[in-house]
Amino acid sequence: MEWIFIIGIPVAAIIALVSMGYVKAPPDTAYIISGYRKPRILIGKAGIRIPFLERLDKLSLKMFSVDVKTTDYVPNAEYINVKVDATVKIRIGWDNESRNVVDMAKRLEDAGAAAFCVHARTRSEMYSPGIHPEYIRAVKEAVRVPVIGNGDIFSAADAERMVELTGCDGVAVARGALGNPWLFEEIHLGESFIPPTKEERIREALRHFRYMIEEKGERVAVAESRAAIAYYTKGLSGSSRVRGTMNTANTADEIISILSDFADNKNASDE
């Protein structure tokens, strides 16, 4: 299945991505994200925001159909038409006084939403305290389309618990995959999953870092590695020292050397 994520760039640019082959045309689904908590998403022009219920009466999501002349993006390209189903990611409300997710989901379904991904917190709660799975269950019971549960999925047990508590059709992983791309395999395999070794984790961190260099250039990759790559070392003996050293690194070679030396330290064990 091909997905378009409508957030951060204009729809016209997304269609251009289709024409350039980054997304196969036509994609199956457009994914409208109105559940973001980041100020730059909520205040800026990124994404398609649906903050007010009264606007939903004029909203049609039954099928996106967009004709865009892509010559501004791709030389010699012609008009391209893309028709896709629309799914929506939402939180349970803005704050504790406006937990209106069930009403919003029902009205979005009437507008044509093909599925929902529900993050079981309000916007005001950000990422704490714990989630409120009862609201995902309420949405699942209120609509006929698939509902995906989201929030605090850090292990296979978390995913299983989400399904048990909510009856959702699937789970969406977010922060849990930071530094742990094996989480998806863990969820799929369950008890038969074998956790990665320290060496495997560092090898994947180095691969990730090299991709970052290719995509963003060395300067940005080094700066962002202090967060993105450091996640891979979480829970390993001596990892705090490694993260501290990475914070003072200025070049890609330094980051690679720090991680390689850490991987070669056979005396360090998992905490």
Side-chain angles (χ1 to χ4, degrees):
M1 174 176 287
E2 293 292 328
W3 296 73
I4 286 181
F5 289 82
I6 303 182
I7 188 160
I9 55 177
V11 173
I14 296 171
I15 305 305
L17 293 177
V18 174
S19 69
M20 288 185 284
Y22 288 106
V23 180
K24 294 180 181 178
D28 298 297
T29 304
Y31 189 33
I32 299 176
I33 306 178
S34 64
Y36 264 71
R37 60 95 181 175
K38 292 287 189 181
R40 65 181 178 85
I41 301 299
L42 294 166
I43 299 172
K45 296 181 179 179
I48 293 180
R49 293 164 291 160
I50 311 172
F52 303 112
L53 282 175
E54 58 264 26
R55 296 184 183 178
L56 298 184
D57 296 332
K58 298 181 180 180
L59 181 68
S60 177
L61 303 178
K62 288 182 170 57
M63 285 289 280
F64 278 109
S65 180
V66 184
D67 288 299
V68 176
K69 187 176 182 181
T70 59
T71 51
D72 290 338
Y73 306 94
V74 185
N76 303 318
E78 299 179 354
Y79 281 92
I80 183 171
N81 179 270
V82 176
K83 295 183 178 180
V84 293
D85 289 327
T87 71
V88 182
K89 182 178 188 293
I90 51 180
R91 285 192 172 223
I92 64 176
W94 184 263
D95 54 30
N96 289 335
E97 306 303 318
S98 60
R99 295 186 180 185
N100 53 6
V101 65
V102 174
D103 188 18
M104 180 173 284
K106 289 163 66 175
R107 296 175 73 172
L108 283 165
E109 182 184 34
D110 290 341
F116 293 99
C117 179
V118 181
H119 183 115
R121 290 188 180 93
T122 66
R123 187 269 174 185
S124 297
E125 288 176 316
M126 309 290 264
Y127 295 119
S128 63
I131 61 171
H132 310 284
E134 65 273 18
Y135 285 91
I136 298 178
R137 175 169 287 280
V139 172
K140 174 62 182 173
E141 294 173 350
V143 300
R144 299 176 299 278
V145 297
V147 174
I148 299 167
N150 175 234
D152 289 358
I153 306 296
F154 295 98
S155 67
D158 293 335
E160 184 176 357
R161 188 180 306 110
M162 173 70 79
V163 174
E164 291 177 352
L165 292 176
T166 68
C168 62
D169 300 286
V171 298
V173 174
R175 292 174 298 141
L178 292 173
N180 185 20
W182 303 273
L183 176 57
F184 303 97
E185 182 181 5
E186 179 189 349
I187 292 172
H188 178 67
L189 295 178
E191 293 182 357
S192 63
F193 171 71
I194 300 175
T197 64
K198 173 187 175 181
E199 289 72 22
E200 288 172 332
R201 290 170 66 171
I202 301 304
R203 183 165 60 247
E204 190 64 25
L206 288 167
R207 189 166 75 101
H208 185 164
F209 181 55
R210 292 187 175 102
Y211 281 141
M212 290 173 66
I213 296 172
E214 292 177 11
E215 180 70 20
K216 302 180 178 184
E218 180 176 353
R219 183 181 63 83
V220 175
V222 169
E224 294 187 356
S225 71
R226 295 160 188 163
I229 303 304
Y231 276 109
Y232 287 90
T233 70
K234 185 176 180 180
L236 297 176
S237 177
S239 61
S240 59
R241 175 182 54 81
V242 170
R243 291 192 292 272
T245 307
M246 288 178 64
N247 284 338
T248 64
N250 295 308
T251 67
D253 286 343
E254 288 180 88
I255 296 293
I256 292 171
S257 177
I258 292 167
L259 291 172
S260 298
D261 289 346
F262 184 50
D264 291 339
N265 181 6
K266 305 300 183 181
N267 294 324
S269 58
D270 292 0
E271 290 179 342

